[in-house]
Amino acid sequence: MFLPDNYEFYCPVKTNSGNRALEHIPIDLDSLSSRKPLVITSKDVAGKGVVRKIINAFKESGVTVGIFDAVPDVPDIKFIEEISNIYRNKEHDSIMALGGGPIVDVAKIMNIAVSYNIQGLKELAGDDLIINPLGPFVLVPTLSGTGYETSRFAKIEDLTFSSHFLMPDLVVIDPRMIKAEDSQTVVATAMAALTHSAEAYTCPAKNPLTDTYAYAAIQYIAENLVNVIEEPKDKEGRLALANAAAMAGCALSNTTVDIVHTLGEVVGDMFDLPDGICMGILLPYGLEYSSNKNGYHTADLLLPLAGFDEYAKTSENLRARVAINMITEMQHDLYDSTKSETPRTLEEAEVPRYMLQDIAEKAVSHGSPKFDFDGYLTILEHAWEGKPITRN
Amino acid sequence: MHLPEYYEFCSRVKMIAGHGALEKIPGALADLHAKRPLIVTDRGVSGAGLVNIVTDAIKDGVSIGAIADDVPQDSDLRVVNRLAAVYRENGCDSLIAVGGGSVMDTAKGINIVVSENADDLMKFSGAGALKRQLKPLVAIPTTSGTGSEVTLVAVIKDHEKHMKMTFVSYFLLPDVAILDSRMTLTLPPFITASTAMDAMSHAVEAYTCLAKNPLSDTSAIAAISLISKNLLKVMKNPSDKDGRLALANAATLAGMAFSNSMVGMIHNLGHSVGSVCGVPHGTCMSILLPYGLEYNMHKNGDLTAELLLPLAGPEVCALTPKHLRAERVIDHIRQMNQDLHEISGGAHARFFREVVDRQGKQMVPKEKLSDIAGKALGDGALFYNPEDLDYDDMLMVMVAAWEGVPLDRSLIKRG
């Protein structure tokens, strides 16, 4: 187990997961001094009896719930102002995001607006400019997530916010709320969550507490993702994936963003592919590339991926290779079980080979100074062909 | 990985760890908008020079309101109220607790009084009676064992009314825990051993008892691995800074694990030995740990077996057939106790009959075992133990742990 000379870690998120988790929310709201939450969601999520389940769960608790079910797919700052006014006018005292994606961004950013009571959000966009705790924020995921939901990050228009105060106080994972979804979405979100947790688990900025969250996330995904795709009714598997996503965000928020995350976003953005699908393709090659760099802990990844037995049986110098092979195999299994819909290489994702240089250049302008053009290009070329960087 | 039907996990204490962690306190207090802390500690800690190290590290960044270094071993409500007055008189806005369990509890009690302006602490006792944020509290543990820097409980005695008040609330979690190797560098070997085995017992019970969850599992595994890699090393070389820091991290991880998963019969019997005979908690835990695992083996041997990897490393694990791993884990823990006994020159007790006080007097006379077994029946930890225990079962375990012989597992009633 790696222990750095110095580290800091902060994760305010309480997790409530499992049967009747919704019914526990009023107790937690009470300890957050909240009696009047505003539930925000979209028509798409709310349309399926989901809101009724929340209302029923609160029935005898004395908590008054407001419901706003019209968060648009692409919210803007003007929308944040509107919904913040609703919150203020109806005197709500906490925010409950029901769903994922833009709903969570809206919840986090309106929490800044109503807690700071300001109009100009721009001045708080950036790293750690939010220096006071915000109001209570509860997250109830309805889909398997990427980790972004519980993380310190939020985006709207061209503004990005990053602060520990944006993380939810409570995440409530109730099997009744986790909807069945198409396999492409499951693969994309789970591979993004795997990337976030695997990079957190192997990067030089890790510590025993990021490990705690990342380990559990990686193991849940490794054990359940392929099953959930093959057996969409596997409720326990879905619950495990939702847990993994919540944990991945806690790990992600306490390490630095690494190479696969950065490249995956760039590729996704340039070719209009889901980021998570791109991260999944790139993950084995990115891990392999960084395993040769100083300070990375790629071999450790075998423990959460394969469990105690396999880890103990595999000799130390082979662990990194076996771990990376397992992820490649998982990609192949997903390709098979989604009937070839999940690309295994950038070629299968229809990324033109001649564009790889452009991608690498763009990644350099986005990414961390730890990685250079040649590094990005090496990863991209191998991920395009689907060939390991070192062949042995 | 096991996924419980329902679980909760919360560990919202900000962790700052390292060989220079103390120097980060002023910044951490500033983040919490505080700048005038009351330092709460005890004579032992200040006598060992630890408070000076803390004040040297922070004095340029904060103005210390006052230093209260007279928290007694057996702290109570009177101490809490007296130090709350010191806090107010000196215009403090935050607390720094430097010490072990008694200091932490006292600081948490002071915090309730000064934050809620309480004249009657009793009103806030029980679970969930606190409703809002208290003043900033920074916890600096000086032993690597209890994990109280990450727990949400405080126990305050009222000696006048002969009662104990228990407070349970997430608001009692310290805001910041500081793990700095300088705080445990001079801890005597015998205390290093028993406190580390206390942390080990937290982690092992968290992993093998009924209320386990994924995050208590991963923090428990990390704690076990750090203790087994570092404890003997530190015992042989007490000034090993990295080893000390590893043990401090382990204690915190174990604290996170057990405070989110509860514990079982090892704690159950340990509390009872502590209250009947006054044996230090860590000593009770290290002696009872192998017995609890033996007693429950027919129920949770598969979980115990999984601990062989973090405990003994990949080679031993790979060479041990699966069905023998649980027993190997128990042997390994017994061997750790034996090694600690030898390195500490006999000060680390392996079984209850060799536990002695400072005068060399036996602390657990054999005739007390029935009292201990009886008292253990009323303890809440029993609820989370995999196998049931009645009076006879408790006594059987205590007799074996007193004599230092393995349990005769054929005598365990299987419920």
Side-chain angles (χ1 to χ4, degrees):
Chain A
M1 148 142 289
F2 172 69
L3 182 64
D5 279 348
N6 279 291
Y7 72 86
E8 295 189 16
F9 178 91
Y10 179 55
C11 177
V13 183
K14 176 172 189 257
T15 307
N16 291 0
S17 162
N19 292 336
R20 298 180 65 77
L22 289 178
E23 278 75 0
H24 289 76
I25 298 177
I27 299 170
D28 282 286
L29 281 179
D30 185 49
S31 73
L32 293 163
S33 311
S34 162
R35 310 203 61 76
K36 204 174 170 194
L38 175 62
V39 174
I40 69 160
T41 186
S42 65
K43 287 267 185 310
D44 186 36
V45 175
K48 290 161 188 161
V50 166
V51 170
R52 197 172 326 117
K53 290 197 183 92
I54 296 246
I55 294 170
N56 285 344
F58 282 21
K59 216 188 265 164
E60 281 152 27
S61 65
V63 172
T64 321
V65 198
I67 311 269
F68 180 93
D69 67 355
V71 174
D73 286 345
V74 187
D76 54 15
I77 292 178
K78 200 168 148 283
F79 175 73
I80 299 283
E81 284 165 15
E82 284 166 26
I83 194 167
S84 300
N85 284 333
I86 295 174
Y87 180 99
R88 291 189 192 103
N89 294 340
K90 300 259 165 125
E91 297 179 332
H92 287 288
D93 56 16
S94 59
I95 299 167
M96 193 181 303
L98 178 61
I103 296 169
V104 176
D105 280 320
V106 167
K108 288 174 176 173
I109 295 167
M110 72 179 276
N111 203 12
I112 305 172
V114 299
S115 305
Y116 270 78
N117 224 342
I118 53 159
Q119 299 297 328
L121 283 165
K122 207 165 261 171
E123 58 201 84
L124 293 172
D127 272 344
D128 291 317
L129 296 175
I130 298 158
I131 54 162
N132 287 310
L134 307 179
F137 166 33
V138 179
L139 168 67
V140 184
T142 55
L143 302 165
S144 53
T146 64
Y148 185 79
E149 303 78 13
T150 50
S151 78
R152 66 193 331 270
F153 304 107
K155 272 190 279 219
I156 195 121
E157 293 184 12
D158 56 348
L159 302 181
T160 305
F161 300 83
S162 168
S163 162
H164 281 131
F165 295 119
L166 292 174
M167 297 170 80
D169 298 287
L170 175 68
V171 54
V172 179
I173 305 168
D174 189 311
R176 290 169 295 176
M177 307 303 271
I178 308 295
K179 307 192 293 186
E181 45 194 316
D182 67 280
S183 54
Q184 275 301 283
T185 311
V186 179
V187 172
T189 51
M191 289 313 280
L194 180 62
T195 298
H196 293 145
S197 42
E199 293 206 301
Y201 200 74
T202 55
C203 76
K206 76 180 203 145
N207 65 57
L209 291 155
T210 56
D211 279 358
T212 295
Y213 289 87
Y215 183 132
I218 295 165
Q219 192 149 80
Y220 274 148
I221 296 169
E223 287 176 350
N224 293 285
L225 175 55
V226 176
N227 281 346
V228 165
I229 299 301
E230 285 172 358
E231 205 46 74
K233 286 191 185 129
D234 175 6
K235 277 200 173 160
E236 199 181 323
R238 283 174 182 284
L239 191 64
L241 291 183
N243 268 273
M247 295 161 181
C250 300
L252 168 69
S253 298
N254 283 281
T255 53
T256 47
V257 165
D258 224 299
I259 193 163
V260 177
H261 173 90
T262 305
L263 263 184
E265 279 192 344
V266 171
V267 177
D269 195 40
M270 285 175 74
F271 301 95
D272 201 19
L273 294 163
D275 291 355
I277 294 293
C278 304
M279 290 179 199
I281 295 170
L282 293 161
L283 185 57
Y285 309 97
L287 288 171
E288 189 186 359
Y289 180 78
S290 39
S291 72
N292 298 320
K293 296 190 65 150
N294 267 345
Y296 279 82
H297 308 269
T298 316
D300 294 359
L301 199 55
L302 189 61
L303 180 58
L305 270 180
F308 296 114
D309 238 359
E310 277 301 310
Y311 178 85
K313 266 195 279 188
T314 309
S315 70
E316 211 173 329
N317 57 343
L318 290 177
R319 280 178 199 146
R321 165 68 23 221
V322 175
I324 292 165
N325 287 348
M326 279 188 71
I327 296 176
T328 310
E329 254 169 59
M330 196 195 292
Q331 285 285 100
H332 284 274
D333 291 345
L334 292 170
Y335 176 86
D336 292 341
S337 49
T338 57
K339 305 196 173 58
S340 328
E341 267 180 32
T342 307
R344 296 163 296 185
T345 60
L346 291 178
E347 184 183 19
E348 287 177 355
E350 295 175 7
V351 172
R353 190 163 199 172
Y354 68 88
M355 292 290 282
L356 299 185
Q357 301 238 356
D358 291 5
I359 301 172
E361 266 167 33
K362 202 157 180 204
V364 170
S365 66
H366 279 234
S368 104
K370 279 184 299 183
F371 298 101
D372 54 14
F373 176 83
D374 291 341
Y376 286 125
L377 192 62
T378 306
I379 295 167
L380 288 164
E381 279 173 346
H382 286 85
W384 196 88
E385 283 190 43
K387 293 230 170 75
I389 297 171
T390 47
R391 284 163 227 188
N392 51 13
Chain B
M1 170 162 278
H2 170 67
L3 179 60
E5 287 204 354
Y6 182 75
Y7 80 91
E8 298 190 0
F9 185 92
C10 178
S11 193
R12 42 173 81 116
V13 180
K14 176 172 184 169
M15 302 294 312
I16 302 180
H19 301 304
L22 293 170
E23 279 74 6
K24 295 186 178 157
I25 293 173
L29 282 175
D31 287 347
L32 298 159
H33 308 292
K35 52 182 186 302
R36 197 171 166 80
L38 169 69
I39 297 181
V40 181
T41 184
D42 63 34
R43 288 263 148 78
V45 171
S46 67
L50 300 182
V51 176
N52 285 340
I53 299 175
V54 174
T55 53
D56 281 349
I58 68 174
K59 63 172 188 263
D60 293 337
V62 294
S63 75
I64 296 165
I67 300 174
D69 69 353
D70 56 352
V71 174
Q73 264 306 315
D74 195 24
S75 179
D76 72 347
L77 184 60
R78 271 201 330 239
V79 177
V80 168
N81 283 327
R82 180 167 58 78
L83 296 183
V86 173
Y87 179 102
R88 288 178 180 132
E89 283 156 16
N90 290 281
C92 298
D93 59 12
S94 52
L95 291 145
I96 299 179
V98 191
S102 181
V103 167
M104 296 290 166
D105 279 354
T106 304
K108 288 173 180 175
I110 298 169
N111 205 1
I112 301 173
V113 175
V114 298
S115 303
E116 290 289 349
N117 246 328
D119 39 27
D120 181 12
L121 259 192
M122 195 64 196
K123 272 196 298 208
F124 298 95
S125 69
L130 288 163
K131 296 289 184 210
R132 52 188 168 158
Q133 205 77 42
L134 306 179
K135 301 287 181 193
L137 168 62
V138 176
I140 311 178
T142 55
T143 62
S144 297
T146 63
S148 54
E149 65 279 8
V150 287
T151 60
L152 64 168
V153 182
V155 180
I156 311 280
K157 287 183 192 150
D158 183 342
H159 284 134
E160 280 159 22
K161 292 188 185 151
H162 302 287
M163 54 179 250
K164 239 193 213 174
M165 293 175 282
T166 303
F167 304 83
V168 185
S169 164
Y170 286 114
F171 294 120
L172 287 174
L173 284 172
D175 296 280
V176 182
I178 303 284
L179 305 180
D180 191 306
S181 50
R182 287 168 285 178
M183 292 292 100
T184 52
L185 213 50
T186 53
L187 202 63
F190 147 68
I191 300 185
T192 302
S194 65
T195 49
M197 290 306 281
D198 182 19
M200 176 78 97
S201 71
H202 292 156
V204 169
E205 286 217 302
Y207 196 85
T208 55
C209 288
L210 298 178
K212 69 201 251 86
N213 65 62
L215 293 167
S216 71
D217 281 355
T218 51
S219 37
I221 290 167
I224 293 167
S225 156
L226 286 171
I227 295 168
S228 50
K229 283 203 189 100
N230 291 282
L231 178 53
L232 290 173
K233 234 173 62 186
V234 169
M235 291 292 286
K236 286 176 193 154
N237 176 18
S239 56
D240 174 0
K241 277 169 64 180
D242 290 335
R244 291 287 189 183
L245 187 60
L247 292 180
N249 271 279
T252 300
L253 286 158
M256 278 169 60
F258 92 91
S259 64
N260 282 286
S261 72
M262 309 309 289
V263 283
M265 65 179 282
I266 297 165
H267 278 78
N268 188 202
L269 276 168
H271 294 159
S272 183
V273 180
S275 92
V276 174
C277 301
V279 179
H281 182 65
T283 304
C284 300
M285 293 296 102
S286 39
I287 293 173
L288 287 163
L289 183 50
Y291 292 96
L293 293 176
E294 264 174 341
Y295 187 86
N296 288 316
M297 210 205 292
H298 61 281
K299 290 267 181 174
N300 64 357
D302 52 335
L303 296 175
T304 303
E306 290 174 356
L307 299 180
L308 191 58
L309 178 68
L311 204 54
E315 290 77 19
V316 173
C317 185
L319 291 171
T320 311
K322 267 193 169 166
H323 67 283
L324 296 178
R325 285 183 191 164
E327 284 166 52
R328 190 81 176 73
V329 163
I330 294 164
D331 292 345
H332 188 93
I333 291 170
R334 287 214 160 95
Q335 188 59 48
M336 275 183 92
N337 276 331
Q338 178 64 33
D339 293 345
L340 293 169
H341 178 76
E342 286 165 20
I343 299 174
S344 67
H348 181 81
R350 296 158 297 176
F351 26 81
F352 284 118
R353 95 182 127 83
E354 69 179 12
V355 179
V356 290
D357 62 16
R358 283 195 186 158
Q359 284 74 42
K361 191 167 157 273
Q362 190 181 44
M363 288 185 84
V364 188
K366 195 165 190 185
E367 59 273 17
K368 290 275 185 194
L369 297 184
S370 53
D371 288 2
I372 293 168
K375 188 140 194 173
L377 288 173
D379 193 292
L382 207 49
F383 185 73
Y384 298 97
N385 195 63
E387 180 58 283
D388 295 335
L389 289 101
D390 61 20
Y391 172 82
D392 292 337
D393 304 323
M394 296 280 189
L395 190 60
M396 173 179 72
V397 175
M398 277 310 300
V399 168
W402 189 86
E403 287 174 354
V405 295
L407 273 186
D408 181 350
R409 292 186 47 235
S410 67
L411 298 177
I412 298 166
K413 299 193 282 276
R414 302 187 172 210

